Amino acid sequence: MVTPPVIGDQRLVKHINRMALLRLLRGESGLSRADLSQRSGLTRSTVSVLVKELITEGWLEEASAQITGTPGRRPTPLGLHAGRLMLVGAELGPDALCVVATSINGDLLDTRLAPLRSRDPDAACRQLVQMITALCSRVIAGDVRLLGIGVAMPGAVDKRTGLLQFAPNIGGRNVEVGRVLNAELASAGLAGAPVYFQNEADLAAVGETEFGVRPVDDPLIYISCGIGVGAGIILNEQLFTGATGSAGEIGHTTLHIDGAACSCGRLGCAEAYIGLRAIAMAAGCVREGAIDRAGLRARMAARDPAARLAFADAGRWLGVLLQNIWATFNPMAIVLGGETVAIGGQCFVDAAAAVLDDVAARVGIAPPAVRLSRHADRAAAVG
């Protein structure tokens, strides 16, 4: 059987070259056209053409020319144009919604939070679209352009269709969030904006690598700590999602055989010990089945012994989970984020770090770096 010839697509090559220039400038702002040519391997004429297009489209902006002290034309520094292009991210959580607007540098421009009024998919999507349109009306003005909308969901997600395949904390299987949300966005006049769907921990990991510390640590594991517990895995500069998109569901790995009941139906899952609902229960901050977040925050601010003990106990279990992740993936860095980290603070994080350090001392190997996410409990929406 004859293999058909591979035909180069000039549009694809151009797209790749544009992305290469943008990534170079995101990593180091202030590079000139000559710098970009040298570092990318592209000819100066190609770089000049692409930079002109990117400036016209609002991706890049020029700064004042540099004084070099040598004869000839002064190089003009280039950088990402943070004011012209906007991204919108939304997180559909088990009991709350979060919508954010960011610049292409990852700077947070605006945030909207609201409790989830209904777990019915249609109702939840309507509420989410109302929040998105309200935020857009506040942020988009003049020549600011919306590049796209990303939606983070708690569970295994078909990123092509937005089908939420399995979400124990919402209590649903094969929920057609994508279909409903796209229809609602079209009704709200936002049909032109591309919409992307992904698991919330995966998106938080993407946000951490795109907008976080540079150079990027790789492999990197992002741990999302909220009502659920999940991981986003960056491996060889790519998001690793597994065969069916459910890689990183560490909240449903077993920490204790025949242990506490989990929302998924198993016993002894990590979520049953580290999840925010379990912590709130231990701290006495659950009211009529709902987490009393305000009460939990107030108790932690007042250094209430019961609340601090609940977070410290959960932190120690998190330390065990971090050791398992270290042994499995051998990452350069583990990033912690999510609502539990934001509320529990150092009480939660220090307890986890102590367990990891103890394991490292026993085996005589330095553990991976553990740090907090740039955007804390907004990380998934920003990603």
Side-chain angles (χ1 to χ4, degrees), residues 24-25 28-36 39 66 76-79:
L24 285 169
L25 285 167
E28 185 180 350
S29 184
L31 297 177
S32 67
R33 289 167 174 80
D35 294 329
L36 290 173
R39 299 193 187 193
Q66 296 175 338
T76 303
L78 297 162

Side-chain angles (χ1 to χ4, degrees), residues 188-257:
L190 292 172
V195 183
Y196 306 91
F197 304 94
Q198 189 56 274
N199 168 267
E200 52 91 17
D202 288 342
L203 285 178
V206 169
E208 190 64 30
T209 55
E210 294 294 326
F211 299 141
V213 176
R214 314 207 78 79
V216 175
D217 294 312
D218 191 348
L220 178 143
I221 310 293
Y222 178 94
I223 309 297
S224 175
C225 302
I227 292 179
V229 180
I233 305 161
I234 301 296
L235 183 62
N236 295 329
E237 300 183 357
Q238 294 185 358
L239 181 64
F240 176 76
T241 58
T244 61
S246 61
E249 288 292 336
I250 59 172
H252 301 295
T253 58
T254 303
L255 287 185
H256 193 306
I257 294 293

Side-chain angles (χ1 to χ4, degrees), residues 161-177:
T161 64
L163 181 72
L164 185 57
Q165 297 165 338
F166 179 49
N169 285 310
I170 291 181
R173 289 179 181 268
N174 297 323
V175 182
E176 294 185 334
V177 175

Side-chain angles (χ1 to χ4, degrees), residues 15-307:
H15 176 71
I16 292 171
N17 289 340
R18 282 163 54 103
M19 286 182 61
L21 299 184
L22 290 172
R23 287 186 175 276
L24 285 169
L25 285 167
R26 186 190 56 194
E28 185 180 350
S29 184
L31 297 177
S32 67
R33 289 167 174 80
D35 294 329
L36 290 173
S37 175
Q38 182 180 20
R39 299 193 187 193
S40 68
L42 299 173
T43 65
R44 290 198 178 194
S45 59
T46 298
V47 168
S48 294
V49 170
L50 296 179
V51 165
K52 183 178 180 180
E53 288 182 1
L54 292 169
I55 290 174
T56 301
E57 294 173 18
W59 288 94
L60 300 180
E61 61 181 344
E62 295 179 308
S64 300
Q66 296 175 338
I67 299 175
T68 62
T70 59
R73 184 177 178 180
R74 296 174 179 175
T76 303
L78 297 162
L80 298 182
H81 197 323
R84 288 279 301 278
L85 303 173
M86 188 188 76
L87 306 166
V88 168
E91 181 179 6
L92 172 60
D95 61 358
L97 300 175
C98 174
V99 178
V100 304
T102 76
S103 71
I104 56 174
N105 286 321
D107 299 320
L108 201 57
L109 305 176
D110 203 347
T111 302
R112 286 178 173 261
L113 299 169
L116 186 64
R117 294 194 293 260
S118 171
R119 289 189 176 185
D120 173 73
D122 290 9
C125 288
R126 281 195 296 272
Q127 183 184 358
L128 193 61
V129 169
Q130 289 169 2
M131 293 174 64
I132 291 172
T133 53
L135 180 141
C136 288
S137 66
R138 288 176 56 180
V139 178
I140 297 179
D143 58 355
V144 176
R145 181 161 63 94
L146 174 62
L147 284 177
I149 300 168
V151 182
M153 293 187 279
V157 179
D158 184 330
K159 62 183 180 182
R160 296 167 301 174
T161 64
L163 181 72
L164 185 57
Q165 297 165 338
F166 179 49
N169 285 310
I170 291 181
R173 289 179 181 268
N174 297 323
V175 182
E176 294 185 334
V177 175
R179 179 185 60 79
V180 177
L181 187 60
N182 278 314
E184 291 291 333
L185 287 169
S187 299
L190 292 172
V195 183
Y196 306 91
F197 304 94
Q198 189 56 274
N199 168 267
E200 52 91 17
D202 288 342
L203 285 178
V206 169
E208 190 64 30
T209 55
E210 294 294 326
F211 299 141
V213 176
R214 314 207 78 79
V216 175
D217 294 312
D218 191 348
L220 178 143
I221 310 293
Y222 178 94
I223 309 297
S224 175
C225 302
I227 292 179
V229 180
I233 305 161
I234 301 296
L235 183 62
N236 295 329
E237 300 183 357
Q238 294 185 358
L239 181 64
F240 176 76
T241 58
T244 61
S246 61
E249 288 292 336
I250 59 172
H252 301 295
T253 58
T254 303
L255 287 185
H256 193 306
I257 294 293
D258 296 329
C262 180
S263 62
C264 70
R266 302 180 181 94
L267 298 177
C269 288
E271 182 183 301
Y273 299 92
I274 304 169
L276 187 60
R277 183 174 297 280
I279 296 172
M281 286 285 290
C285 289
V286 174
R287 306 282 183 265
E288 297 180 355
I291 298 172
D292 179 9
R293 288 174 168 81
L296 192 56
R297 288 180 185 273
R299 290 193 183 189
M300 287 301 292
R303 302 183 67 82
D304 174 73

